[in-house]
Amino acid sequence: PPSRSDNLLFYTITIVFLLASFTLAMIVTSLGLILNVVGATGSTMVSYILPGLVYVKLFEGEGGAIMAGAKLQVLVGCGIIPVALYYIFVS
């Protein structure tokens, strides 16, 4: 069974997320910006960053061109996110 401190941590994190979501919902008048940010970060992470990271972690210690490509893929993904966010907030 979960300990008392585990339950306290769970409820604290849950309440913080609920309050943050509620506050965001009360402040934002259009969800378009929020959806743009979520799309720019989420799709880049799923398409570029996570596959590269999974490969790097699964084949740790190995070298070669495929490992270099996986690391490059992660770096490119980390570069795409700020560029996409810049264009979202500038336009």
Side-chain angles (χ1 to χ4, degrees):
S3 68
R4 184 167 169 81
S5 64
D6 288 341
N7 282 336
L8 180 63
L9 179 64
F10 171 77
Y11 287 120
T12 302
I13 291 172
T14 302
I15 289 170
V16 167
F17 276 131
L18 284 173
L19 289 175
S21 299
F22 177 77
T23 303
L24 185 63
M26 291 293 115
I27 292 173
V28 174
T29 57
S30 170
L31 288 179
L33 177 65
I34 303 300
L35 292 175
N36 285 339
V37 170
V38 169
T41 55
S43 64
T44 304
M45 288 191 73
V46 168
S47 301
Y48 288 93
I49 297 173
L50 290 179
L53 282 178
V54 168
Y55 185 87
V56 168
K57 287 306 273 181
L58 283 177
F59 299 101
E60 251 179 327
E62 292 186 21
I66 296 177
M67 181 61 77
K71 290 178 180 178
L72 178 64
Q73 183 177 359
V74 172
L75 289 174
V76 168
C78 289
I80 289 174
I81 289 178
V83 171
L85 291 175
Y86 171 78
Y87 282 110
I88 287 171
F89 287 113
V90 165
S91 59

